[in-house]
Amino acid sequence: MRTRVNDYNNPMPSRVRSQRVEAIVLRHVDWGEADRLLWLFTRQLGKIQVVAKGVRKPRSRKAGHLEPFTRVELLLAHGRDLPIVTQAEAKDAYLALREDLVRMGYASYVIELLDRFTYEEGENVALFRLLAETLSRLNDETQPAFAVRYYEVRLLDLVGFRPQLLHCVNCGEEIKAEDQYFSFDKGGVICPKCGLKEPGVRPVSLPALKILRHFQRSAYAEAQRARLSATVDLELENLMGYYLTYLLERGLNTPSFLRRVRNLTTSEE
Ligand SMILES: [Zn+2]
């Protein structure tokens, strides 16, 4: 009996003999004697799993190009179960992420979130770009936390969990310029009037809400005009951390197309 890696549709149909892809290495595990299984997020095929043969041999030329966080250009060949890496050339190793523990921690968090919020479901160029740009920002910028807070907001958007920040998710009233509450369950801001009666909501300060709204509507260059104080950064780190964990525990076994269908129907009401 032949062993299959998992029940998974090969992203390269057998009529495609080989394909060039641009990818970011999410993670890998050792496989067999000298091989590795890699999870990649590619520009062309979205998230895929591939095999890199022989990369654990000391003289492997591909090995150094296939470390986690690396942006790499690959040639993939059709394999029986999974595509096989036949060529690999690192385009960006993001060296600062490997030399600085704080940056490495942020990069691991960014990669893990993307990995856990996505399925092997085909091309998603917007997500690929967000990931590649966020790793570059973490690598280059003096305030890596800023890039991560921005990433959280944009990621929620792209995986179908864009929080409602303009109207109370309970009564529908427009949100006013004052401290508010946030409901994980209802996916957005709750006004102070409703918040007092709603169990399980978390407070969100006006300055933190302003940042969230600004990030939600702005490209990065525009987003950078905002100043993120240490206090607001900490508040958002906690709020988004809890919210993302909540979503992951609750919803991620649901196929994402179902989430999207649900979002479509609620936004049409
Ligand atoms: Zn309300």
Side-chain angles (χ1 to χ4, degrees):
M1 201 185 93
R2 73 179 208 187
T3 319
R4 288 192 67 94
V5 173
N6 57 17
D7 280 340
Y8 147 89
N9 298 320
N10 197 316
M12 282 174 69
S14 50
R15 64 190 151 74
V16 181
R17 299 292 293 275
S18 68
Q19 182 170 3
R20 200 165 283 283
V21 296
E22 184 185 353
I24 288 163
V25 181
L26 303 177
R27 60 194 157 95
H28 57 49
V29 293
D30 291 348
W31 185 251
E33 289 286 301
D35 306 343
R36 264 189 189 133
L37 284 181
L38 288 91
W39 282 262
L40 307 172
F41 204 88
T42 68
R43 184 188 285 277
Q44 292 82 357
L45 304 168
K47 185 156 118 181
I48 60 169
Q49 209 181 334
V50 299
V51 185
K53 290 191 180 286
V55 283
R56 279 153 58 220
K57 290 182 184 154
R59 292 176 63 198
S60 164
R61 271 180 294 157
K62 290 194 285 281
H65 301 268
L66 294 172
E67 286 301 310
F69 313 159
T70 310
R71 187 166 65 83
V72 63
E73 213 170 272
L74 298 170
L75 189 63
L76 301 176
H78 182 82
R80 196 180 62 186
D81 291 308
L82 294 173
I84 296 162
V85 177
T86 52
Q87 285 174 26
E89 194 193 341
K91 289 293 167 191
D92 206 330
Y94 304 116
L95 286 177
L97 301 183
R98 292 156 212 282
E99 289 157 2
D100 176 332
L101 279 181
V102 173
R103 287 174 199 271
M104 185 187 285
Y106 278 129
S108 308
Y109 170 71
V110 159
I111 294 263
E112 188 190 355
L113 279 184
L114 181 110
D115 194 16
R116 295 197 55 198
F117 271 101
T118 54
Y119 299 88
E120 289 152 7
E121 60 188 47
E123 180 192 35
N124 190 332
V125 178
L127 259 184
F128 178 83
R129 283 186 50 190
L130 178 66
L131 178 63
E133 287 168 359
T134 303
L135 292 178
S136 291
R137 289 166 193 155
L138 284 178
N139 191 71
D140 301 338
E141 289 174 10
T142 47
Q143 254 203 310
F146 191 96
V148 172
R149 300 287 85 83
Y150 183 78
Y151 170 79
E152 289 165 335
V153 174
R154 307 308 292 200
L155 178 74
L156 284 171
D157 221 347
L158 294 176
V159 297
F161 290 109
R162 181 187 173 95
Q164 167 59 260
L165 303 175
L166 303 177
H167 296 94
C168 170
V169 288
N170 196 50
C171 71
E173 288 271 311
E174 196 176 335
I175 289 297
K176 297 186 184 75
E178 55 188 331
D179 291 352
Q180 308 285 339
Y181 293 91
F182 193 95
S183 163
F184 295 164
D185 184 35
K186 292 179 174 163
V189 175
I190 287 212
C191 74
K193 216 166 38 185
C194 297
L196 290 172
K197 291 173 265 168
E198 189 82 9
V201 294
R202 293 180 65 91
V204 55
S205 73
L206 179 63
L209 179 61
K210 279 184 170 167
I211 292 281
L212 289 178
R213 282 164 71 151
H214 178 60
F215 283 3
Q216 199 175 60
R217 64 169 180 256
S218 309
Y220 193 67
E222 172 67 22
Q224 279 182 301
R225 290 160 176 256
R227 206 184 83 81
L228 181 66
S229 70
T231 321
V232 171
D233 177 40
L234 185 64
E235 182 183 345
L236 287 177
E237 181 183 311
N238 284 324
L239 182 72
M240 289 292 106
Y242 284 121
Y243 185 43
L244 291 159
T245 308
Y246 171 87
L247 292 173
L248 286 169
E249 283 172 358
R250 192 200 62 176
L252 282 185
N253 294 322
T254 316
S256 65
F257 78 91
L258 276 180
R259 290 198 313 260
R260 292 195 187 118
V261 170
R262 265 206 312 270
N263 286 341
L264 273 179
T265 40
T266 42
S267 61
E268 277 165 10
E269 277 163 16

